[in-house]
Amino acid sequence: MGTCSSSVRKTRKKLATLRDIFKGNQTLLIVLQNSPDPDSIASAMALRKLANSLADIQCSLVYGGRIGRAENRALIHYLSVNLREASEIDFHGYDLIAMVDTQPWAGNNCLPAEMEPDIVIDHHKCRRSTRQCRFTDIRSRYGATVTILYEYLQAAGIEIDSMLATAILYAIRSDTQDFGRDTTQADLDAVMAVYPLANKRILGQIQRGRVERNYFQTLSDGLRNARVCGPAIVTGLGKVENPDMIGEMADLLLRDEATDWAVCYGFFEGQLLISIRTSAEPPRADKVIRHMIGRKGSGGGHPSYAGGQIPLESDEPRQIRRLERRVLKRFLESVGAAGAKEEKLIQS
Ligand SMILES: [Mn+2]
């Protein structure tokens, strides 16, 4: 009970500060994480609703990367979310800038490095440089960023329409994998509240989002390349057109009953992208990814899932192989399986 009422107090205080920041401003740019996932999209929708309702502020939602996962494309389509690509945006043309489900200089968003957001709302571990921003609300225990925004909407007495409720519900289910990972009571409370309002028909259509034909080729490549290394299954997808496949593949491989860890990587727009998953922390996935990447790039996440990126110095295959081997070696070290033997996951 104690923590519960203190979180309500914290939300009210934060909301009052946010109201002050909104005051007298007309436009807000909301920056999502690259290749935004449902939590990032729903959080941006919820913040837009808050800014519209509290201060009549016009919002644009911007993302970098590509929205590849079929479910996320379906979410945007069925909920008519108007997302804009970074190339269409004049970042200096807004009164205020907010960031949701990511943080400044985290390496996974499109805000130009010389700019600092006014507002940062996130559930990843608070980065040191985030603290200098004007408004921050970082709750790293929460299963989803949108749960924080749901609490704001509730505290402000703003009505949640069916589209927003659907987005919030899907976002929390997706970030927590149906409440199976990193979930708090706050996430469950938000889900209970929005469930009756959500459009279940659209929810079904999102969950069974249709895939492009090359999805099956990538899936097949990922499975054929997969190796069992000690407690982990590791695979590489090579160059990907759809970076979301990397996380999706890692999710799939973690379903192997004999595996505690899944690692998947691929190349997209001059970067090595890595996703890891675990069903057996410690060590925490976000710590492991940071060790894997070291100073070569950036990474972060949550206890049971995390991701990171390393900019490539060259396209040279030998260099790339060396980088892959280095990252994998550091992975095995940090899960206590250095030197583990490799064998193929499936015979083909
Ligand atoms: Mn999230």
Side-chain angles (χ1 to χ4, degrees), residues 52-318:
N52 284 165
S53 310
L54 290 182
D56 203 19
I57 291 182
Q58 293 298 311
C59 301
S60 301
L61 279 51
V62 62
Y63 73 98
R66 182 170 177 260
I67 299 163
R69 197 162 180 146
E71 293 89 332
N72 303 356
R73 292 159 81 102
L75 184 145
I76 287 162
H77 172 73
Y78 287 109
L79 301 183
S80 314
V81 190
N82 186 8
L83 292 186
R84 302 176 60 188
E85 288 178 34
S87 59
E88 302 169 43
I89 290 290
D90 170 14
F91 285 88
H92 293 277
Y94 291 84
D95 298 336
L96 294 169
I97 294 181
M99 216 171 237
V100 288
D101 207 33
T102 174
Q103 296 179 36
W105 310 290
N108 69 339
N109 62 67
C110 62
L111 187 68
E114 76 277 9
M115 297 185 75
E116 185 184 299
D118 301 278
I119 298 163
V120 185
I121 301 171
D122 191 19
H123 71 136
H124 296 88
K125 195 166 164 268
C126 189
R127 298 166 60 85
R128 201 173 302 141
S129 49
T130 299
R131 299 204 183 102
Q132 71 193 58
C133 298
R134 206 166 146 203
F135 178 94
T136 61
D137 193 347
I138 311 294
R139 305 190 197 182
S140 56
R141 289 188 51 250
Y142 275 29
T145 297
V146 79
T147 300
I148 307 173
L149 282 142
Y150 162 78
E151 292 184 1
Y152 287 174
L153 290 169
Q154 203 206 26
I158 295 167
E159 202 179 309
I160 295 174
D161 60 61
S162 159
M163 293 293 137
L164 183 54
T166 309
I168 294 174
L169 176 58
Y170 185 67
I172 299 174
R173 286 182 51 179
S174 154
D175 255 28
T176 65
Q177 291 206 325
D178 284 316
F179 323 119
R181 69 180 182 193
D182 309 340
T183 316
T184 63
Q185 188 59 44
D187 300 302
L188 296 174
D189 290 346
V191 163
M192 303 284 237
V194 297
Y195 188 83
L197 308 170
N199 183 320
K200 281 78 175 181
R201 189 180 51 81
I202 290 184
L203 206 58
Q205 269 155 338
I206 292 171
Q207 278 168 301
R208 282 181 296 281
R210 305 195 41 164
V211 296
E212 288 170 12
R213 175 86 33 107
N214 66 17
Y215 174 89
F216 300 102
Q217 182 65 54
T218 311
L219 207 58
S220 162
D221 293 346
L223 290 173
R224 274 187 291 112
N225 293 341
R227 289 105 63 203
V228 179
C229 309
I233 299 179
V234 177
T235 195
L237 301 178
K239 223 174 171 159
V240 291
E241 278 169 43
N242 169 8
D244 283 348
M245 278 307 285
I246 297 166
E248 189 163 345
M249 195 71 206
D251 286 335
L252 175 66
L253 293 174
L254 193 66
R255 294 190 60 185
D256 177 66
E257 63 180 359
T259 289
D260 291 337
W261 290 86
V263 179
C264 182
Y265 54 84
F267 301 95
F268 180 71
E269 290 183 347
Q271 291 193 308
L272 172 66
L273 304 180
I274 309 163
S275 283
I276 65 173
R277 305 286 187 262
T278 181
S279 53
E281 24 120 358
R284 294 171 54 114
D286 51 354
K287 284 207 170 144
V288 171
I289 196 91
R290 276 195 285 270
H291 180 73
M292 287 165 76
I293 288 175
R295 290 168 182 277
K296 290 197 176 285
S298 58
H302 306 277
S304 62
Y305 66 112
Q309 48 274 321
I310 299 177
L312 296 178
E313 282 159 18
S314 86
D315 268 356
E316 220 250 302
R318 256 187 34 217

